[in-house]
PDB file of all heavy atoms in Angstrom:
ATOM      1  N   GLY A 891     -15.227  19.795  11.079  1.00 46.00           N
ATOM      2  CA  GLY A 891     -15.863  20.720  12.010  1.00 46.00           C
ATOM      3  C   GLY A 891     -16.196  20.030  13.318  1.00 46.00           C
ATOM      4  O   GLY A 891     -16.279  18.795  13.393  1.00 46.00           O
ATOM      5  N   LEU A 892     -16.401  20.814  14.357  1.00 42.00           N
ATOM      6  CA  LEU A 892     -16.597  20.256  15.688  1.00 42.00           C
ATOM      7  C   LEU A 892     -17.742  19.249  15.750  1.00 42.00           C
ATOM      8  O   LEU A 892     -17.628  18.193  16.368  1.00 42.00           O
ATOM      9  CB  LEU A 892     -16.848  21.399  16.685  1.00 42.00           C
ATOM     10  CG  LEU A 892     -15.626  22.257  17.037  1.00 42.00           C
ATOM     11  CD1 LEU A 892     -16.035  23.412  17.931  1.00 42.00           C
ATOM     12  CD2 LEU A 892     -14.570  21.404  17.733  1.00 42.00           C
ATOM     13  N   LEU A 893     -18.860  19.563  15.117  1.00 43.00           N
ATOM     14  CA  LEU A 893     -20.005  18.657  15.167  1.00 43.00           C
ATOM     15  C   LEU A 893     -19.710  17.344  14.453  1.00 43.00           C
ATOM     16  O   LEU A 893     -20.155  16.273  14.886  1.00 43.00           O
ATOM     17  CB  LEU A 893     -21.241  19.333  14.564  1.00 43.00           C
ATOM     18  CG  LEU A 893     -21.805  20.518  15.363  1.00 43.00           C
ATOM     19  CD1 LEU A 893     -22.988  21.136  14.625  1.00 43.00           C
ATOM     20  CD2 LEU A 893     -22.229  20.074  16.768  1.00 43.00           C
ATOM     21  N   ARG A 894     -18.956  17.420  13.357  1.00 48.00           N
ATOM     22  CA  ARG A 894     -18.675  16.201  12.594  1.00 48.00           C
ATOM     23  C   ARG A 894     -17.616  15.332  13.257  1.00 48.00           C
ATOM     24  O   ARG A 894     -17.474  14.157  12.910  1.00 48.00           O
ATOM     25  CB  ARG A 894     -18.223  16.571  11.171  1.00 48.00           C
ATOM     26  CG  ARG A 894     -19.321  17.214  10.338  1.00 48.00           C
ATOM     27  CD  ARG A 894     -18.869  17.409   8.908  1.00 48.00           C
ATOM     28  NE  ARG A 894     -19.922  18.002   8.091  1.00 48.00           N
ATOM     29  CZ  ARG A 894     -19.805  18.240   6.792  1.00 48.00           C
ATOM     30  NH1 ARG A 894     -18.689  17.951   6.159  1.00 48.00           N
ATOM     31  NH2 ARG A 894     -20.807  18.782   6.121  1.00 48.00           N
ATOM     32  N   ARG A 895     -16.870  15.880  14.196  1.00 47.00           N
ATOM     33  CA  ARG A 895     -15.806  15.092  14.818  1.00 47.00           C
ATOM     34  C   ARG A 895     -16.336  13.974  15.694  1.00 47.00           C
ATOM     35  O   ARG A 895     -15.587  13.112  16.130  1.00 47.00           O
ATOM     36  CB  ARG A 895     -14.870  16.006  15.631  1.00 47.00           C
ATOM     37  CG  ARG A 895     -13.973  16.835  14.738  1.00 47.00           C
ATOM     38  CD  ARG A 895     -12.988  17.669  15.543  1.00 47.00           C
ATOM     39  NE  ARG A 895     -12.584  18.839  14.790  1.00 47.00           N
ATOM     40  CZ  ARG A 895     -11.820  19.806  15.270  1.00 47.00           C
ATOM     41  NH1 ARG A 895     -11.383  19.749  16.511  1.00 47.00           N
ATOM     42  NH2 ARG A 895     -11.499  20.851  14.525  1.00 47.00           N
ATOM     43  N   PHE A 896     -17.644  13.973  15.974  1.00 47.00           N
ATOM     44  CA  PHE A 896     -18.235  12.832  16.660  1.00 47.00           C
ATOM     45  C   PHE A 896     -18.308  11.620  15.731  1.00 47.00           C
ATOM     46  O   PHE A 896     -18.431  10.485  16.184  1.00 47.00           O
ATOM     47  CB  PHE A 896     -19.638  13.186  17.171  1.00 47.00           C
ATOM     48  CG  PHE A 896     -19.624  14.119  18.341  1.00 47.00           C
ATOM     49  CD1 PHE A 896     -19.888  15.466  18.169  1.00 47.00           C
ATOM     50  CD2 PHE A 896     -19.319  13.657  19.613  1.00 47.00           C
ATOM     51  CE1 PHE A 896     -19.874  16.342  19.251  1.00 47.00           C
ATOM     52  CE2 PHE A 896     -19.291  14.510  20.695  1.00 47.00           C
ATOM     53  CZ  PHE A 896     -19.568  15.863  20.519  1.00 47.00           C
ATOM     54  N   ARG A 897     -18.209  11.882  14.406  1.00 49.00           N
ATOM     55  CA  ARG A 897     -18.260  10.799  13.421  1.00 49.00           C
ATOM     56  C   ARG A 897     -16.889  10.510  12.819  1.00 49.00           C
ATOM     57  O   ARG A 897     -16.536   9.356  12.586  1.00 49.00           O
ATOM     58  CB  ARG A 897     -19.236  11.169  12.290  1.00 49.00           C
ATOM     59  CG  ARG A 897     -20.680  11.310  12.753  1.00 49.00           C
ATOM     60  CD  ARG A 897     -21.556  11.789  11.609  1.00 49.00           C
ATOM     61  NE  ARG A 897     -21.453  10.909  10.461  1.00 49.00           N
ATOM     62  CZ  ARG A 897     -21.650  11.297   9.203  1.00 49.00           C
ATOM     63  NH1 ARG A 897     -21.936  12.578   8.947  1.00 49.00           N
ATOM     64  NH2 ARG A 897     -21.553  10.444   8.216  1.00 49.00           N
ATOM     65  N   TYR A 898     -16.113  11.538  12.552  1.00 50.00           N
ATOM     66  CA  TYR A 898     -14.779  11.349  11.977  1.00 50.00           C
ATOM     67  C   TYR A 898     -13.946  12.600  12.225  1.00 50.00           C
ATOM     68  O   TYR A 898     -14.473  13.688  12.409  1.00 50.00           O
ATOM     69  CB  TYR A 898     -14.867  11.056  10.473  1.00 50.00           C
ATOM     70  CG  TYR A 898     -15.794  11.965   9.691  1.00 50.00           C
ATOM     71  CD1 TYR A 898     -15.374  13.222   9.263  1.00 50.00           C
ATOM     72  CD2 TYR A 898     -17.089  11.561   9.381  1.00 50.00           C
ATOM     73  CE1 TYR A 898     -16.220  14.058   8.553  1.00 50.00           C
ATOM     74  CE2 TYR A 898     -17.950  12.402   8.670  1.00 50.00           C
ATOM     75  CZ  TYR A 898     -17.505  13.640   8.256  1.00 50.00           C
ATOM     76  OH  TYR A 898     -18.339  14.467   7.565  1.00 50.00           O
ATOM     77  N   LYS A 899     -12.623  12.423  12.254  1.00 61.00           N
ATOM     78  CA  LYS A 899     -11.715  13.508  12.631  1.00 61.00           C
ATOM     79  C   LYS A 899     -11.417  14.463  11.480  1.00 61.00           C
ATOM     80  O   LYS A 899     -11.135  15.636  11.697  1.00 61.00           O
ATOM     81  CB  LYS A 899     -10.395  12.929  13.150  1.00 61.00           C
ATOM     82  CG  LYS A 899     -10.507  12.197  14.465  1.00 61.00           C
ATOM     83  CD  LYS A 899      -9.206  11.538  14.863  1.00 61.00           C
ATOM     84  CE  LYS A 899      -8.106  12.537  15.145  1.00 61.00           C
ATOM     85  NZ  LYS A 899      -6.884  11.874  15.639  1.00 61.00           N
ATOM     86  N   TYR A 900     -11.433  13.940  10.245  1.00 67.00           N
ATOM     87  CA  TYR A 900     -10.965  14.747   9.118  1.00 67.00           C
ATOM     88  C   TYR A 900     -11.979  14.755   7.980  1.00 67.00           C
ATOM     89  O   TYR A 900     -12.694  13.772   7.747  1.00 67.00           O
ATOM     90  CB  TYR A 900      -9.624  14.199   8.595  1.00 67.00           C
ATOM     91  CG  TYR A 900      -8.549  14.185   9.651  1.00 67.00           C
ATOM     92  CD1 TYR A 900      -8.155  12.986  10.252  1.00 67.00           C
ATOM     93  CD2 TYR A 900      -7.939  15.363  10.063  1.00 67.00           C
ATOM     94  CE1 TYR A 900      -7.173  12.970  11.236  1.00 67.00           C
ATOM     95  CE2 TYR A 900      -6.959  15.352  11.040  1.00 67.00           C
ATOM     96  CZ  TYR A 900      -6.584  14.157  11.625  1.00 67.00           C
ATOM     97  OH  TYR A 900      -5.625  14.145  12.595  1.00 67.00           O
ATOM     98  N   GLU A 901     -12.004  15.867   7.261  1.00 66.00           N
ATOM     99  CA  GLU A 901     -12.806  15.979   6.051  1.00 66.00           C
ATOM    100  C   GLU A 901     -12.091  15.266   4.902  1.00 66.00           C
ATOM    101  O   GLU A 901     -10.879  15.015   4.962  1.00 66.00           O
ATOM    102  CB  GLU A 901     -13.023  17.448   5.677  1.00 66.00           C
ATOM    103  CG  GLU A 901     -13.710  18.274   6.759  1.00 66.00           C
ATOM    104  CD  GLU A 901     -15.203  17.988   6.849  1.00 66.00           C
ATOM    105  OE1 GLU A 901     -15.690  17.087   6.147  1.00 66.00           O
ATOM    106  OE2 GLU A 901     -15.868  18.679   7.629  1.00 66.00           O
ATOM    107  N   ASP A 902     -12.841  14.954   3.845  1.00 66.00           N
ATOM    108  CA  ASP A 902     -12.233  14.262   2.718  1.00 66.00           C
ATOM    109  C   ASP A 902     -12.215  15.079   1.428  1.00 66.00           C
ATOM    110  O   ASP A 902     -11.639  14.653   0.433  1.00 66.00           O
ATOM    111  CB  ASP A 902     -12.963  12.940   2.456  1.00 66.00           C
ATOM    112  CG  ASP A 902     -14.404  13.170   2.004  1.00 66.00           C
ATOM    113  OD1 ASP A 902     -15.005  14.169   2.421  1.00 66.00           O
ATOM    114  OD2 ASP A 902     -14.909  12.346   1.227  1.00 66.00           O
ATOM    115  N   GLU A 903     -12.831  16.265   1.436  1.00 80.00           N
ATOM    116  CA  GLU A 903     -12.947  17.020   0.181  1.00 80.00           C
ATOM    117  C   GLU A 903     -11.589  17.406  -0.399  1.00 80.00           C
ATOM    118  O   GLU A 903     -11.340  17.266  -1.603  1.00 80.00           O
ATOM    119  CB  GLU A 903     -13.800  18.277   0.380  1.00 80.00           C
ATOM    120  CG  GLU A 903     -15.286  18.011   0.565  1.00 80.00           C
ATOM    121  CD  GLU A 903     -15.653  17.761   2.011  1.00 80.00           C
ATOM    122  OE1 GLU A 903     -14.722  17.656   2.851  1.00 80.00           O
ATOM    123  OE2 GLU A 903     -16.851  17.671   2.321  1.00 80.00           O
ATOM    124  N   LYS A 904     -10.687  17.883   0.465  1.00 81.00           N
ATOM    125  CA  LYS A 904      -9.383  18.306  -0.040  1.00 81.00           C
ATOM    126  C   LYS A 904      -8.563  17.128  -0.536  1.00 81.00           C
ATOM    127  O   LYS A 904      -7.864  17.220  -1.548  1.00 81.00           O
ATOM    128  CB  LYS A 904      -8.626  19.080   1.040  1.00 81.00           C
ATOM    129  CG  LYS A 904      -9.223  20.448   1.336  1.00 81.00           C
ATOM    130  CD  LYS A 904      -8.382  21.208   2.348  1.00 81.00           C
ATOM    131  CE  LYS A 904      -8.983  22.595   2.608  1.00 81.00           C
ATOM    132  NZ  LYS A 904      -8.210  23.368   3.606  1.00 81.00           N
ATOM    133  N   LEU A 905      -8.629  16.007   0.180  1.00 80.00           N
ATOM    134  CA  LEU A 905      -7.925  14.810  -0.271  1.00 80.00           C
ATOM    135  C   LEU A 905      -8.464  14.365  -1.622  1.00 80.00           C
ATOM    136  O   LEU A 905      -7.696  14.059  -2.543  1.00 80.00           O
ATOM    137  CB  LEU A 905      -8.085  13.691   0.758  1.00 80.00           C
ATOM    138  CG  LEU A 905      -7.561  12.305   0.345  1.00 80.00           C
ATOM    139  CD1 LEU A 905      -6.089  12.365  -0.015  1.00 80.00           C
ATOM    140  CD2 LEU A 905      -7.814  11.288   1.466  1.00 80.00           C
ATOM    141  N   ALA A 906      -9.790  14.312  -1.765  1.00 83.00           N
ATOM    142  CA  ALA A 906     -10.394  13.905  -3.039  1.00 83.00           C
ATOM    143  C   ALA A 906      -9.971  14.834  -4.165  1.00 83.00           C
ATOM    144  O   ALA A 906      -9.639  14.387  -5.276  1.00 83.00           O
ATOM    145  CB  ALA A 906     -11.914  13.885  -2.907  1.00 83.00           C
ATOM    146  N   ALA A 907      -9.963  16.137  -3.894  1.00 87.00           N
ATOM    147  CA  ALA A 907      -9.578  17.114  -4.923  1.00 87.00           C
ATOM    148  C   ALA A 907      -8.125  16.919  -5.337  1.00 87.00           C
ATOM    149  O   ALA A 907      -7.794  16.995  -6.536  1.00 87.00           O
ATOM    150  CB  ALA A 907      -9.800  18.527  -4.408  1.00 87.00           C
ATOM    151  N   LYS A 908      -7.237  16.660  -4.380  1.00 87.00           N
ATOM    152  CA  LYS A 908      -5.828  16.461  -4.702  1.00 87.00           C
ATOM    153  C   LYS A 908      -5.619  15.181  -5.507  1.00 87.00           C
ATOM    154  O   LYS A 908      -4.811  15.142  -6.433  1.00 87.00           O
ATOM    155  CB  LYS A 908      -4.996  16.424  -3.424  1.00 87.00           C
ATOM    156  CG  LYS A 908      -4.935  17.748  -2.681  1.00 87.00           C
ATOM    157  CD  LYS A 908      -4.241  18.818  -3.525  1.00 87.00           C
ATOM    158  CE  LYS A 908      -4.136  20.134  -2.771  1.00 87.00           C
ATOM    159  NZ  LYS A 908      -3.494  21.192  -3.591  1.00 87.00           N
ATOM    160  N   LEU A 909      -6.358  14.121  -5.144  1.00 88.00           N
ATOM    161  CA  LEU A 909      -6.252  12.868  -5.894  1.00 88.00           C
ATOM    162  C   LEU A 909      -6.710  13.062  -7.335  1.00 88.00           C
ATOM    163  O   LEU A 909      -6.050  12.610  -8.286  1.00 88.00           O
ATOM    164  CB  LEU A 909      -7.090  11.780  -5.221  1.00 88.00           C
ATOM    165  CG  LEU A 909      -6.581  11.250  -3.879  1.00 88.00           C
ATOM    166  CD1 LEU A 909      -7.597  10.299  -3.261  1.00 88.00           C
ATOM    167  CD2 LEU A 909      -5.240  10.561  -4.048  1.00 88.00           C
ATOM    168  N   ARG A 910      -7.835  13.741  -7.518  1.00 90.00           N
ATOM    169  CA  ARG A 910      -8.345  13.984  -8.874  1.00 90.00           C
ATOM    170  C   ARG A 910      -7.345  14.810  -9.676  1.00 90.00           C
ATOM    171  O   ARG A 910      -7.105  14.555 -10.859  1.00 90.00           O
ATOM    172  CB  ARG A 910      -9.694  14.691  -8.795  1.00 90.00           C
ATOM    173  CG  ARG A 910     -10.777  13.856  -8.146  1.00 90.00           C
ATOM    174  CD  ARG A 910     -12.066  14.615  -7.920  1.00 90.00           C
ATOM    175  NE  ARG A 910     -12.859  14.723  -9.122  1.00 90.00           N
ATOM    176  CZ  ARG A 910     -14.086  15.181  -9.164  1.00 90.00           C
ATOM    177  NH1 ARG A 910     -14.677  15.582  -8.052  1.00 90.00           N
ATOM    178  NH2 ARG A 910     -14.742  15.250 -10.291  1.00 90.00           N
ATOM    179  N   GLU A 911      -6.754  15.792  -9.024  1.00 91.00           N
ATOM    180  CA  GLU A 911      -5.817  16.676  -9.716  1.00 91.00           C
ATOM    181  C   GLU A 911      -4.587  15.924 -10.198  1.00 91.00           C
ATOM    182  O   GLU A 911      -4.191  16.041 -11.365  1.00 91.00           O
ATOM    183  CB  GLU A 911      -5.392  17.808  -8.763  1.00 91.00           C
ATOM    184  CG  GLU A 911      -4.401  18.787  -9.364  1.00 91.00           C
ATOM    185  CD  GLU A 911      -3.975  19.845  -8.361  1.00 91.00           C
ATOM    186  OE1 GLU A 911      -4.726  20.111  -7.392  1.00 91.00           O
ATOM    187  OE2 GLU A 911      -2.876  20.407  -8.541  1.00 91.00           O
ATOM    188  N   VAL A 912      -3.966  15.130  -9.320  1.00 92.00           N
ATOM    189  CA  VAL A 912      -2.736  14.444  -9.711  1.00 92.00           C
ATOM    190  C   VAL A 912      -3.020  13.361 -10.751  1.00 92.00           C
ATOM    191  O   VAL A 912      -2.225  13.146 -11.678  1.00 92.00           O
ATOM    192  CB  VAL A 912      -2.015  13.860  -8.478  1.00 92.00           C
ATOM    193  CG1 VAL A 912      -2.729  12.640  -7.916  1.00 92.00           C
ATOM    194  CG2 VAL A 912      -0.572  13.514  -8.824  1.00 92.00           C
ATOM    195  N   ILE A 913      -4.164  12.687 -10.642  1.00 94.00           N
ATOM    196  CA  ILE A 913      -4.509  11.651 -11.621  1.00 94.00           C
ATOM    197  C   ILE A 913      -4.765  12.272 -12.987  1.00 94.00           C
ATOM    198  O   ILE A 913      -4.313  11.752 -14.020  1.00 94.00           O
ATOM    199  CB  ILE A 913      -5.721  10.832 -11.133  1.00 94.00           C
ATOM    200  CG1 ILE A 913      -5.317   9.969  -9.945  1.00 94.00           C
ATOM    201  CG2 ILE A 913      -6.279   9.954 -12.261  1.00 94.00           C
ATOM    202  CD1 ILE A 913      -6.483   9.307  -9.246  1.00 94.00           C
ATOM    203  N   ARG A 914      -5.453  13.385 -13.022  1.00 94.00           N
ATOM    204  CA  ARG A 914      -5.705  14.049 -14.307  1.00 94.00           C
ATOM    205  C   ARG A 914      -4.388  14.535 -14.918  1.00 94.00           C
ATOM    206  O   ARG A 914      -4.197  14.453 -16.141  1.00 94.00           O
ATOM    207  CB  ARG A 914      -6.680  15.213 -14.114  1.00 94.00           C
ATOM    208  CG  ARG A 914      -8.102  14.769 -13.767  1.00 94.00           C
ATOM    209  CD  ARG A 914      -9.070  15.947 -13.695  1.00 94.00           C
ATOM    210  NE  ARG A 914      -9.320  16.498 -15.025  1.00 94.00           N
ATOM    211  CZ  ARG A 914     -10.234  16.023 -15.861  1.00 94.00           C
ATOM    212  NH1 ARG A 914     -11.004  15.005 -15.512  1.00 94.00           N
ATOM    213  NH2 ARG A 914     -10.416  16.579 -17.039  1.00 94.00           N
ATOM    214  N   GLN A 915      -3.478  15.010 -14.108  1.00 92.00           N
ATOM    215  CA  GLN A 915      -2.178  15.438 -14.625  1.00 92.00           C
ATOM    216  C   GLN A 915      -1.407  14.265 -15.213  1.00 92.00           C
ATOM    217  O   GLN A 915      -0.859  14.356 -16.320  1.00 92.00           O
ATOM    218  CB  GLN A 915      -1.366  16.099 -13.507  1.00 92.00           C
ATOM    219  CG  GLN A 915      -1.857  17.465 -13.086  1.00 92.00           C
ATOM    220  CD  GLN A 915      -1.093  17.998 -11.888  1.00 92.00           C
ATOM    221  OE1 GLN A 915      -0.326  17.275 -11.234  1.00 92.00           O
ATOM    222  NE2 GLN A 915      -1.302  19.271 -11.583  1.00 92.00           N
ATOM    223  N   GLN A 916      -1.369  13.165 -14.483  1.00 92.00           N
ATOM    224  CA  GLN A 916      -0.574  12.017 -14.918  1.00 92.00           C
ATOM    225  C   GLN A 916      -1.177  11.308 -16.117  1.00 92.00           C
ATOM    226  O   GLN A 916      -0.468  10.658 -16.882  1.00 92.00           O
ATOM    227  CB  GLN A 916      -0.412  11.027 -13.758  1.00 92.00           C
ATOM    228  CG  GLN A 916       0.430  11.559 -12.622  1.00 92.00           C
ATOM    229  CD  GLN A 916       1.829  11.945 -13.068  1.00 92.00           C
ATOM    230  OE1 GLN A 916       2.520  11.184 -13.749  1.00 92.00           O
ATOM    231  NE2 GLN A 916       2.265  13.138 -12.687  1.00 92.00           N
ATOM    232  N   THR A 917      -2.486  11.396 -16.289  1.00 91.00           N
ATOM    233  CA  THR A 917      -3.136  10.749 -17.430  1.00 91.00           C
ATOM    234  C   THR A 917      -3.387  11.717 -18.578  1.00 91.00           C
ATOM    235  O   THR A 917      -4.032  11.362 -19.566  1.00 91.00           O
ATOM    236  CB  THR A 917      -4.469  10.116 -16.999  1.00 91.00           C
ATOM    237  OG1 THR A 917      -5.314  11.128 -16.443  1.00 91.00           O
ATOM    238  CG2 THR A 917      -4.235   9.004 -15.975  1.00 91.00           C
TER     239      THR A 917
END
Side-chain angles (χ1 to χ4, degrees):
L892 287 175
L893 292 177
R894 293 187 179 182
R895 286 184 206 174
F896 288 101
R897 296 175 56 207
Y898 46 82
K899 292 175 65 175
Y900 301 105
E901 301 285 5
D902 65 329
E903 288 88 353
K904 290 184 179 179
L905 172 57
K908 293 296 182 181
L909 290 173
R910 296 173 79 171
E911 179 182 336
V912 73
I913 290 170
R914 291 185 70 85
Q915 288 174 349
Q916 293 301 311
T917 58

